[in-house]
Amino acid sequence: MKIRSFMTMMVAAAAIVFGMSSCGSDDNDDPEVALAAQVSGSYTGQEILTVDGEPDEGSATFVFSKSSDTSVDMTIPQYGMGMMTLPALPVKNIPLTKSGSTITGKLASYAGSVTNADGAEKAYTISDVTVIFNDKTVVVTFTMKYGNMPFVFAGQFTGTRSLSKPLE
């Protein structure tokens, strides 16, 4: 009788222990994709560059690539024609945050240099960068100072993701 009672208690204890350690819905089999991976890719749409109060509108493709899990690099496409062509300008390490389904990036200023078509190295500064991703669309605003030009470009871009697979 004692053995039967003892065995019943052991089976009950084992059931409790195994029941507490069983698989449950708290397992995270589908980890969240990094913010940068969610938005990386090419976006095609309309860009408006305003120079000295005069807007110039045209189609453009902005490219966003993963810099880290929480930041992206952005490439502003070349602009202009002939001797007045500005080369594509990279902007690196734009930090990202997420609120609901919207991913936002903000960067106060980025300075770099590029080689133009004539082989000359030109400095540039991109300031007041705001990038807003929502679903497959992006809105970008920025100001740009290129080389020794006496004026600042104000840029705005609205585009839709054109690649089905994000860039890494």
Side-chain angles (χ1 to χ4, degrees), residues 50-53 79 84 86 144-154:
T50 303
V51 183
D52 200 25
Y79 170 76
M84 296 300 293
L86 303 180
M144 173 177 55
K145 176 82 169 85
Y146 179 75
N148 294 326
M149 291 185 172
F151 42 82
V152 174
F153 293 81

Side-chain angles (χ1 to χ4, degrees), residues 33 46 49 67 120 122:
V33 176
Q46 289 299 114
L49 283 178
S67 175
K122 297 284 187 173

Side-chain angles (χ1 to χ4, degrees), residues 78 81-88 114-122 146:
Q78 82 174 27
M81 294 186 300
M83 297 298 292
M84 296 300 293
T85 300
L86 303 180
V114 291
T115 304
N116 67 12
D118 295 334
E121 190 160 321
K122 297 284 187 173
Y146 179 75

Side-chain angles (χ1 to χ4, degrees), residues 53-166:
E54 293 294 321
D56 184 21
E57 185 173 341
S59 62
T61 299
F62 277 56
V63 177
F64 295 88
S65 58
K66 181 179 172 183
S67 175
S68 73
D69 284 349
T70 58
S71 65
V72 291
D73 295 341
M74 173 178 73
T75 302
I76 298 171
Q78 82 174 27
Y79 170 76
M81 294 186 300
M83 297 298 292
M84 296 300 293
T85 300
L86 303 180
L89 303 173
V91 180
K92 299 190 181 280
N93 295 313
I94 301 170
L96 302 173
T97 58
K98 185 172 185 175
S99 178
S101 64
T102 302
I103 297 174
T104 304
K106 289 188 180 270
L107 186 65
S109 182
Y110 177 81
S113 63
V114 291
T115 304
N116 67 12
D118 295 334
E121 190 160 321
K122 297 284 187 173
Y124 67 94
T125 303
I126 309 294
S127 305
D128 304 318
V129 178
T130 301
V131 182
I132 302 170
F133 297 94
N134 195 341
D135 194 25
K136 294 184 184 328
T137 62
V138 65
V139 175
V140 180
T141 59
F142 61 91
T143 57
M144 173 177 55
K145 176 82 169 85
Y146 179 75
N148 294 326
M149 291 185 172
F151 42 82
V152 174
F153 293 81
Q156 180 178 347
F157 172 75
T158 304
T160 304
R161 184 180 291 178
S162 53
L163 289 180
S164 59
K165 182 180 177 195

